[in-house]
Amino acid sequence: MSEYVKFEFDGQLYEFPIITGTEGEKAIDIAALRKKTGLITLDPGFVNTGSCESQITFMDGEKGVLRYRGISIEELAEHSTFVETSYLLMNGELPTLEELTNIRVQLNDQSLVHEDMQIFFQNFPRGASPMGILSAMVNALRSFYPELTHTEEAINKTLLRLLSKIRTMAAMSYKISRGHKVVYPRADLTYCANFLNMMFDNPVNPYEIDKDVVKALNVFWILHADHEQNCSTAAVRVVGSGRVNVYAAISAGIAALWGPLHGGANIAVFEMLSEIAKNGGDVKYAVEKAKDRDDPFRLMGFGHRVYKTYDPRAKIMKEMVDTVLPKLNIEDPLLDIAKKLEEVALKDEYFIDHNLYPNVDFYSGIFLRALGIPVNMFTVMFAIGRLPGWIAQWRESMDDPHWKLNRPRQIYIGPKQRKYIPMDKR
Ligand code: ACO
């Protein structure tokens, strides 16, 4: 039986259908609202607005559930690899052995970056943010590797090219920023091992690949691989809706991820924990400061638009930190501070009342630091992980039968019509 929402406006009764997702989520379909009533909705931050129907990722923010194409993040973290999960997100199904082998071969084939691109990297000023560089370089890929769109196979080639080259570009930017020689990708290494090797290998200290570290990086990237309609994914879809090329849409996603309220939170958490450490480790002070409405400070790595319980990704990240650091013989004083901060915050009435729990970024910086990733690359690591999600969401939006150019409306609250005043009369 169809369900409807009824409302009265200007003495007239209107009905709008309710649509229900496969997991029981309900929404009012207001596509005809303006046409029927002349009204629009106003929803700052899109807190109540669904922008699309999607088959990719399911989140239940109350129960702390996250699934990619129906498979739980916990299962994927335990059993999958980043490449396999990327395939799942981008294609809707887990790959067969043959499909997985095929995608691995293609990722290897596409892993080199045009030599001329190195010149760009070299000309960014020292100290330039790697996120700005990555966003610019992904956009620039279009000039070097024109987007292929004529067949399904050609589109796949473009998307795999992006997935492969992003890690080469990220590692390359790191090497160049340090004044070191670029390390080329190797065909005998897996996606994650290749990245680590390109980052850390050098002629003086050849990088030794550790399978536990490779596994941990796979998990890290799986945890970041998609998160339905978040800020950066929304940016990819909005920009993509203008039918720009895919590189430009992804470049917009990277730019959106940069901010400290979104992916840049992993750097902001590190800075916050370092500041607490510098000031003697007083976590209570930080919690009190975060509660003060007159102070703009917030506990970074805490809170989430959708999760009103512990972020399931943060749970796995915390467990991973607890196993990876001892394995690498690393004692990070920031880990103790983070744990104390979490303990105090989770017992605090304000944090309880506001349902504020650690999110994925709370422990991720500590994990990345243990792998030797420099702080200014933390958000780049997030971006590499999120790429398959952006690609899947972009592709879904391109194939959406309800596709429309994304163009929100507004309620104008500026001055009413008035006359232009000539300069000598102002
Ligand atoms: N510390 C202190 N108070 C907080 C925090 C926090 N980290 N997060 C939210 N609040 C409070 C707000 O002050 C507000 O209080 P009020 O209702 O009494 O005024 C209430 O909780 C709701 O906050 P909003 O900002 O309205 O919630 P929103 O859903 O817009 O914010 C966000 C979500 C941006 C993630 C927020 O929790 C935040 O700023 N967290 C810190 C930054 C962070 O960790 N970002 C990463 C998020 S995960 C990701 O994007 C990958």
Side-chain angles (χ1 to χ4, degrees):
M1 199 182 64
S2 313
E3 287 181 279
Y4 288 88
V5 162
K6 293 181 186 168
F7 81 82
E8 204 183 317
F9 173 64
D10 244 357
Q12 199 153 334
L13 199 62
Y14 297 97
E15 281 188 346
F16 291 94
I18 296 277
I19 55 167
T20 307
T22 46
E23 292 284 350
E25 288 172 305
K26 289 185 186 292
I28 313 167
D29 180 351
I30 55 153
L33 180 71
R34 190 164 180 279
K35 215 172 182 178
K36 282 188 180 175
T37 66
L39 294 170
I40 62 164
T41 56
L42 185 62
D43 184 19
F46 309 132
V47 177
N48 308 287
T49 298
S51 63
C52 60
E53 291 177 89
S54 177
Q55 301 182 7
I56 302 169
T57 289
F58 173 69
M59 290 171 73
D60 182 331
E62 315 301 322
K63 295 192 184 127
V65 169
L66 176 62
R67 297 183 201 131
Y68 300 156
R69 304 282 189 184
I71 304 177
S72 79
I73 192 77
E74 290 80 8
E75 269 190 276
L76 289 167
E78 192 176 343
H79 303 295
S80 189
T81 61
F82 178 59
V83 169
E84 186 186 55
T85 296
S86 300
Y87 185 99
L88 170 72
L89 282 165
M90 289 158 62
N91 297 282
E93 295 296 337
L94 287 167
T96 61
L97 184 59
E98 196 187 337
E99 286 163 340
L100 189 60
T101 309
N102 181 27
I103 184 182
R104 283 194 171 133
V105 170
Q106 287 194 59
L107 286 170
N108 267 332
D109 285 353
Q110 303 267 7
S111 60
L112 285 169
V113 167
H114 200 293
E115 288 291 318
D116 288 354
M117 288 194 93
Q118 280 200 40
I119 298 164
F120 283 159
F121 281 107
Q122 270 149 355
N123 286 317
F124 277 101
R126 284 282 142 96
S129 163
M131 280 301 272
I133 297 175
L134 190 68
S135 178
M137 297 313 282
V138 166
N139 217 337
L141 275 177
R142 172 96 196 301
S143 313
F144 289 88
Y145 305 94
E147 191 188 24
L148 305 169
T149 54
H150 48 284
T151 59
E152 186 74 7
E153 201 186 335
I155 296 172
N156 281 338
K157 189 167 180 186
T158 299
L159 299 178
L160 287 177
R161 178 183 277 163
L162 200 44
L163 191 61
S164 184
K165 291 196 194 316
I166 195 169
R167 82 203 138 143
T168 311
M169 292 195 302
M172 200 185 215
S173 67
Y174 170 64
K175 283 292 194 190
I176 292 174
S177 74
R178 300 203 66 191
H180 289 178
K181 212 163 170 279
V182 165
V183 176
Y184 285 80
R186 274 173 38 190
D188 60 319
L189 296 179
T190 60
Y191 189 96
C192 292
N194 231 327
F195 173 76
L196 291 165
N197 192 60
M198 284 190 277
M199 284 287 291
F200 301 123
D201 189 53
N202 67 58
V204 181
N205 285 313
Y207 184 67
E208 279 182 34
I209 291 161
D210 176 327
K211 69 175 183 4
D212 292 334
V213 172
V214 172
K215 166 72 188 160
L217 181 57
N218 269 288
V219 175
F220 176 86
W221 275 338
I222 288 170
L223 296 182
H224 287 82
D226 195 45
H227 218 220
E228 51 119 299
Q229 307 313 313
N230 56 84
C231 172
S232 55
T233 302
V236 169
R237 281 188 180 253
V238 170
V239 172
S241 82
R243 293 289 195 234
V244 293
N245 65 82
V246 65
Y247 301 113
I250 300 293
S251 165
I254 296 170
L257 188 73
W258 193 350
L261 294 190
H262 190 20
N266 54 16
I267 294 181
V269 171
F270 171 79
E271 287 166 351
M272 175 187 74
L273 295 176
S274 304
E275 192 62 27
I276 295 173
K278 209 170 79 192
N279 294 329
D282 187 356
V283 295
K284 285 193 178 128
Y285 173 73
V287 169
E288 290 309 315
K289 200 167 150 59
K291 286 156 53 178
D292 183 353
R293 283 174 195 280
D294 298 326
D295 190 325
F297 173 77
R298 285 182 162 191
L299 271 200
M300 300 314 284
F302 258 75
H304 197 274
R305 172 64 60 78
V306 181
Y307 293 124
K308 298 305 161 204
T309 182
Y310 215 105
D311 180 337
R313 304 166 301 171
K315 221 179 259 177
I316 300 173
M317 194 72 75
K318 188 177 176 187
E319 285 164 15
M320 205 155 72
V321 161
D322 280 336
T323 51
V324 170
L325 266 66
K327 159 96 198 8
L328 296 174
N329 286 324
I330 290 175
E331 276 182 34
D332 188 341
L334 295 189
L335 178 58
D336 293 336
I337 291 177
K339 285 189 171 172
K340 274 188 208 134
L341 184 58
E342 178 188 340
E343 198 186 326
V344 172
L346 291 185
K347 283 186 191 144
D348 188 281
E349 218 168 286
Y350 173 94
F351 282 80
I352 294 169
D353 285 352
H354 285 75
N355 296 314
L356 298 170
Y357 293 85
N359 59 48
V360 69
D361 294 310
F362 194 64
Y363 287 102
S364 69
I366 291 171
F367 168 77
L368 291 172
R369 218 154 75 110
L371 260 54
I373 306 289
V375 176
N376 68 356
M377 291 278 289
F378 285 1
T379 316
V380 166
M381 296 298 287
F382 190 150
I384 300 173
R386 183 54 54 87
L387 183 61
W390 287 331
I391 289 175
Q393 301 270 353
W394 170 84
R395 193 159 199 184
E396 188 178 67
S397 72
M398 291 296 110
D399 295 340
D400 186 347
H402 306 298
W403 171 84
K404 269 192 179 307
L405 172 72
N406 285 195
R407 203 293 186 196
R409 302 193 74 105
Q410 63 164 19
I411 296 294
Y412 175 70
I413 54 167
K416 289 209 171 229
Q417 186 175 11
R418 52 187 174 147
K419 286 266 179 240
Y420 175 79
I421 306 167
M423 187 61 83
D424 59 344
K425 302 241 167 61
R426 280 178 219 165

